[in-house]
Amino acid sequence: MKLNELLKNVKPIQIVGDTEKNIIGINIDSRKIEKDHLFVAIKGTQTDGHKYIDKAIELGACAILVEDMPEKLSENITYIQVKSTEEAVGKVATTFYGDPSHKLKLVGVTGTNGKTTVATLLYNMFRKFGHKVGLLSTVCNYIDDKAVPASHTTPDPIELNILLAKMVEEGCEYAFMECSSHAIHQHRIGGLKFAGGLFTNLTRDHLDYHKTFENYRNAKKMFFDDLGKDAFAITNADDKNGMIMVQNCKATVKTYSTKRPADFKAHLLECHFEGMYLEVDGKEVGVQFIGKFNVSNLLAVYGAAVMLGKKPEDILVALSALKNVNGRLEPITSLDGITAIIDYAHTPDALENVLLAIHEVLEGKGGHIITVCGAGGNRDKGKRPLMALEAVKKSDNVILTSDNPRNEDPQAIINDMLEGLDNTQKKKVLTIVNRKEAIRAACMMAHKGDVVLIAGKGHETYQEINGVKHHFDDHEVVREIFGLNE
């Protein structure tokens, strides 16, 4: 593609050099540059791409997109200066890969909790409807039925457009995508055309990056501010930030609620560990999920399917057949009647929601709840004491353990969590740094009818310790302890 064509959606401050060059690849990683590539120098959180311009040229780059012009310009290299390369790279990438998001219906899901569940259920539902569908999620990316491992909730703009282009090539009609606050703020989804957007909820998370809750909220809001007039936006009217998200939105706005008047309404009728009975827009349906927060998630899925043109009765039939997402309120029951629940809950709000869901099922049955949880290292320290407090308030016993300590001392993380508890609350708590031993202890403490909640890692199959990922799967550990592997 000619460089001047590639830059059609970018507003350069200045260009030095020939724009008639043919560009055969683009990259933000200088190590991946080849002959006749465009290198985009981005000022990232870890390093500044401008430091690697000479390396990119050495590897064959013929054009460089920059924010700061180098003092010394190389011959036969074209330099394009823009206000923000972070903002420009998405526009350049979507042009280079043929505007793939214009060739399918792309729906983004954002919020603190529920993104993976909502996006994955939409993917599964639309495949049940007979469509070829793409999925971009925390757990895994899919091009119809082909899995593509995920390293981030939202890939970088180049990888993202490569995936979307492959989806188009494979005949996908729809794609459902988690949009993290990092991705929105860093313009990783810049240049994409969304057919619709969904907001799940907003609670404290990622303050290590955003610094304040307002910054975090505004990052999410940017997604809805940028939706086009021909798109739809579906927001959770039960969340206090739900209407703030769409106050400047040009798209068609719809609401969903389990508590108040809304465009899409649902009511919980019955709840068991095997599933729930719901009333959705006046019609009853049985689903294989538990928890009031999952009523909201399923309602968001229902609303999106309606806005994408599906008949309500067909949507309800599909909802009844959908199964839980890996590592989200996932039950494993022992031969002697103890239920372990594996869940990704790693924020105070998510932990509260999961524990409330377990209480809803146990109501009147008398079972005890033993919670195993930790907190990630090198992340927002402020949520650690809040996590411990939520666990203690809604559990009979708590074991604080290691999650992904990364480059921190696991015991120091546990100590931070304990700071949220008074002396009386600490009497309900054990601390066992070794996660496998913590899970084993919880299962040994439980009796028939009790529930062991194992929170924090969900679908993850590793523990990250001192920068190294070691294989660790909560599912495997529980099955081994319960003797279910034979």
Side-chain angles (χ1 to χ4, degrees):
M1 180 179 285
K2 296 290 186 186
L3 180 56
N4 53 15
E5 174 67 13
L6 192 56
L7 300 173
K8 67 180 182 181
N9 294 316
V10 176
K11 296 177 180 177
I13 296 170
Q14 66 169 316
I15 298 176
V16 177
D18 179 17
T19 60
E20 287 294 320
K21 292 177 177 177
N22 197 43
I23 303 295
I24 65 168
I26 56 174
N27 225 300
I28 59 175
D29 186 340
S30 62
R31 295 167 296 184
K32 296 178 180 178
I33 290 293
E34 296 177 14
K35 189 176 186 315
D36 293 332
H37 277 206
L38 168 69
F39 174 59
V40 185
I42 291 179
K43 295 179 178 178
T45 54
Q46 304 298 320
T47 188
D48 184 351
H50 290 75
K51 294 178 181 178
Y52 304 99
I53 290 173
D54 289 342
K55 179 68 175 176
I57 292 171
E58 187 182 311
L59 290 172
C62 65
I64 314 290
L65 191 64
V66 299
E67 285 181 29
D68 303 327
M69 276 288 191
E71 288 183 14
K72 184 180 178 183
L73 302 183
S74 299
E75 283 187 38
N76 302 319
I77 302 298
T78 303
Y79 296 86
I80 308 101
Q81 185 182 21
V82 293
K83 183 180 179 182
S84 167
T85 49
E86 191 175 70
E87 194 170 340
V89 66
K91 296 173 182 178
V92 170
T94 196
T95 301
F96 184 79
Y97 290 102
D99 293 322
S101 62
H102 287 71
K103 297 171 183 174
L104 44 66
K105 290 185 177 178
L106 176 64
V107 176
V109 185
T110 195
T112 306
N113 303 311
K115 294 188 297 295
T116 300
T117 296
V118 172
T120 305
L121 293 184
L122 280 165
Y123 161 80
N124 289 333
M125 175 182 282
F126 275 72
R127 291 196 74 225
K128 283 182 181 295
F129 286 145
H131 300 289
K132 285 195 170 186
V133 188
L135 174 68
L136 295 143
S137 87
T138 306
V139 179
C140 191
N141 301 317
Y142 282 90
I143 300 170
D144 201 32
D145 59 348
K146 297 173 187 172
V148 182
S151 58
H152 297 85
T153 301
T154 313
D156 71 58
I158 296 168
E159 184 185 349
L160 185 50
N161 277 280
I162 290 172
L163 284 167
L164 289 169
K166 285 179 180 175
M167 290 175 191
V168 171
E169 189 179 316
E170 293 290 327
C172 292
E173 302 167 74
Y174 298 88
F176 300 101
M177 173 182 176
E178 291 183 53
C179 297
S180 69
S181 58
H182 292 71
I184 298 165
H185 185 255
Q186 294 169 7
H187 303 284
R188 280 187 240 159
I189 58 175
L192 298 182
K193 176 181 169 60
F194 285 90
L198 286 81
F199 171 70
T200 57
N201 50 61
L202 199 70
T203 59
R204 181 191 179 111
D205 201 13
H206 301 306
L207 297 197
D208 53 305
Y209 175 82
H210 294 288
K211 307 305 180 190
T212 69
F213 183 81
E214 288 71 24
N215 289 344
Y216 176 49
R217 182 187 66 199
N218 291 339
K220 298 285 190 187
K221 185 177 177 295
M222 278 171 60
F223 173 66
F224 295 96
D225 290 349
D226 290 342
L227 287 177
K229 289 181 181 178
D230 56 347
F232 65 82
I234 302 177
T235 191
N236 184 357
D238 294 334
D239 189 282
K240 63 184 179 182
N241 290 289
M243 299 315 294
I244 292 173
M245 288 293 136
V246 294
Q247 64 186 12
N248 299 319
C249 184
K250 298 181 288 290
T252 299
V253 174
K254 298 288 182 180
T255 57
Y256 67 95
S257 173
T258 62
K259 301 173 183 175
R260 51 179 57 85
D263 296 295
F264 306 111
K265 283 276 297 173
H267 178 62
L268 175 62
L269 301 174
E270 286 182 37
C271 189
H272 312 275
F273 278 128
E274 296 75 28
M276 302 181 287
Y277 285 101
L278 310 178
E279 183 183 277
V280 179
D281 279 356
K283 296 182 178 68
E284 289 189 18
V285 61
V287 295
Q288 301 174 59
F289 299 81
I290 64 170
K292 287 180 180 175
F293 68 94
N294 265 328
V295 180
S296 289
N297 288 336
L298 291 167
L299 196 49
V301 170
Y302 173 84
V306 169
M307 295 305 291
L308 288 168
K310 298 302 176 184
K311 294 178 181 177
E313 53 270 29
D314 294 338
I315 300 168
L316 293 178
V317 170
L319 276 181
S320 68
L322 293 175
K323 298 186 184 298
N324 219 333
V325 176
N326 179 23
R328 267 62 175 180
L329 258 176
E330 193 175 353
I332 300 174
T333 303
S334 72
L335 299 174
D336 51 358
I338 298 166
T339 300
I341 300 282
I342 295 173
D343 194 88
Y344 188 53
H346 59 285
T347 66
D349 179 69
L351 190 58
E352 178 188 25
N353 282 334
V354 171
L355 285 164
L356 284 172
I358 295 169
H359 276 282
E360 288 159 16
V361 178
L362 287 180
E363 191 173 351
K365 297 175 185 173
H368 291 85
I369 299 173
I370 303 161
T371 295
V372 179
C373 69
N378 303 110
R379 296 294 186 268
D380 175 19
K381 291 187 177 184
K383 71 180 182 182
R384 294 175 185 175
L386 302 177
M387 291 278 290
L389 185 60
E390 285 300 340
V392 167
K393 278 162 50 180
K394 295 180 176 63
S395 310
D396 296 285
N397 297 97
V398 173
I399 300 178
L400 297 181
T401 189
S402 183
D403 190 298
N404 286 323
R406 298 184 177 90
N407 295 311
E408 285 194 67
D409 175 7
Q411 185 61 57
I413 297 172
I414 291 172
N415 292 343
D416 286 344
M417 296 184 80
L418 288 168
E419 288 296 316
L421 309 177
D422 61 30
N423 289 332
T424 302
Q425 290 167 329
K426 286 177 183 175
K427 291 177 182 177
K428 293 170 64 174
V429 177
L430 289 174
T431 64
I432 302 176
V433 171
N434 184 295
R435 188 174 180 89
K436 184 172 183 178
E437 292 310 311
I439 295 171
R440 186 186 303 280
C443 292
M444 294 301 104
M445 289 166 63
H447 299 90
K448 183 177 181 179
D450 290 348
V451 175
V452 177
L453 170 62
I454 303 162
K457 293 185 61 59
H459 63 280
E460 292 179 350
T461 55
Y462 63 85
Q463 257 195 309
E464 188 176 340
I465 304 169
N466 292 325
V468 178
K469 288 185 176 180
H470 304 267
H471 180 76
F472 193 98
D473 187 331
D474 286 347
H475 302 77
E476 291 176 6
V477 172
V478 170
R479 290 185 179 281
E480 178 188 324
I481 293 166
F482 282 173
L484 299 176
N485 286 335
E486 292 81 8

